[in-house]
Amino acid sequence: MAKRICWLYRLETVSYDIVWRWQQNLLHLRRQNPDLPDALLLVEHPPVYTLGQGADESFLKFTPNAHMPPVVRIERGGEVTYHCPGQLVGYPILNLRRHRPDLHWYLRQLEEVVIRTVSAFEIDGERSDGLTGVWVEGRKVAAIGIKASRWITMHGFALNICPDLSGFQHIVPCGIADKAVGSLSEFQQGLDRLQVQPVLEKQFAQVFQCELVPQDLCTLPSSLS
């Protein structure tokens, strides 16, 4: 049986708004044509706070202003989180009808990708009962928030490799006040994206039983016209 194909877009540091639009367009095209391959975008963002569609703004500890990173409300589930350089963000655009049309299963698979990835660096990642994400020694190193339309996914996961964590001090991350945020570099010094991303790509391909096929960035849909 041939493996499913998943187009892989390896991005550098790109603003959140641009990648958000790419996700929306990739999802829209797959709603129009479900036979299009799945896609995975891997990227870093400049500092930005994002809130899920039903997120409580009281979890922001500041009033948005020009001196702080932008705050963007988006269509994923979950509360507020923070993106910044040193964090590897993954946006899978998957047709779950090809995999398993079950969002709880999908969330657990994303966690599994991260757990297997950090294990390759002798770091023990764990789940926390009743919560979504991955923890190491009680510190949350990966946040996950998704959206699905007709079983086609967008948004995804953010893995803290070596970011400046101070931006998390201005929010209640994911609405969880009693659990700290951490990064892989706290447990394995010197880790960076160049080391971690190839491992994560391999684990993603194994967990979702697909072949990642790198794509030219010019093939990303900038509009739906």
Side-chain angles (χ1 to χ4, degrees):
M1 180 179 175
K3 282 190 175 180
R4 290 179 285 258
I5 296 297
C6 181
W7 290 348
L8 173 63
Y9 294 95
R10 296 181 175 121
L11 308 172
E12 298 298 328
T13 301
V14 184
S15 73
Y16 189 87
D17 285 346
I18 291 174
V19 180
W20 184 20
R21 177 58 57 88
W22 282 338
Q23 289 185 73
Q24 292 171 328
N25 293 348
L26 288 166
L27 182 147
H28 180 81
L29 291 170
R30 281 152 182 78
R31 285 183 51 169
Q32 291 182 322
N33 180 6
D35 293 330
L36 284 172
D38 293 336
L40 173 63
L41 292 79
L42 295 175
V43 65
E44 288 182 74
H45 292 305
V48 61
Y49 294 99
T50 69
L51 297 95
Q53 58 184 355
D56 188 341
E57 292 187 9
S58 69
F59 292 134
L60 288 174
K61 298 180 180 179
F62 66 96
T63 300
N65 61 77
H67 303 291
M68 293 292 290
V71 177
V72 184
R73 186 175 288 275
I74 55 178
E75 64 271 73
R76 66 163 170 79
E79 296 291 342
V80 62
T81 195
Y82 177 61
H83 298 305
C84 64
Q87 186 184 70
L88 178 58
V89 186
Y91 298 119
I93 313 297
L94 305 186
N95 186 340
L96 292 183
R97 294 186 187 280
R98 293 193 184 112
H99 301 268
R100 181 172 168 180
D102 181 331
L103 295 182
H104 293 288
W105 172 87
Y106 177 56
L107 290 169
R108 302 294 81 76
Q109 299 307 102
L110 292 180
E111 291 169 346
E112 184 66 18
V113 170
V114 173
I115 289 170
R116 292 188 186 190
T117 297
V118 303
S119 177
F121 299 99
E122 300 183 341
I123 299 172
D124 293 327
E126 300 176 332
R127 296 177 173 89
S128 183
D129 289 344
L131 299 174
T132 298
V134 176
W135 281 261
V136 176
E137 296 182 12
R139 300 174 70 82
K140 190 171 188 178
V141 299
I144 297 173
I146 64 168
K147 165 73 175 179
S149 175
R150 299 182 189 173
W151 295 112
I152 300 171
T153 68
M154 63 182 294
H155 300 295
F157 60 86
L159 174 59
N160 296 334
I161 302 174
C162 54
D164 178 353
L165 296 175
S166 62
F168 286 97
Q169 297 174 4
H170 302 291
I171 60 173
V172 179
C174 302
I176 305 171
D178 60 347
K179 290 184 180 292
V181 173
S183 66
L184 301 188
S185 60
E186 294 178 279
F187 305 99
Q188 187 72 264
Q189 289 187 352
L191 283 184
D192 59 21
R193 180 182 177 182
L194 289 176
Q195 295 169 276
V196 174
Q197 180 166 326
V199 177
L200 185 138
E201 290 177 8
K202 178 181 177 180
Q203 298 306 324
F204 185 94
Q206 290 182 354
V207 168
F208 287 100
Q209 299 178 17
C210 63
E211 179 184 354
L212 295 177
V213 180
Q215 300 295 300
D216 192 312
L217 302 187
C218 70
T219 64
L220 280 166
S222 58
S223 70
L224 297 177
S225 59

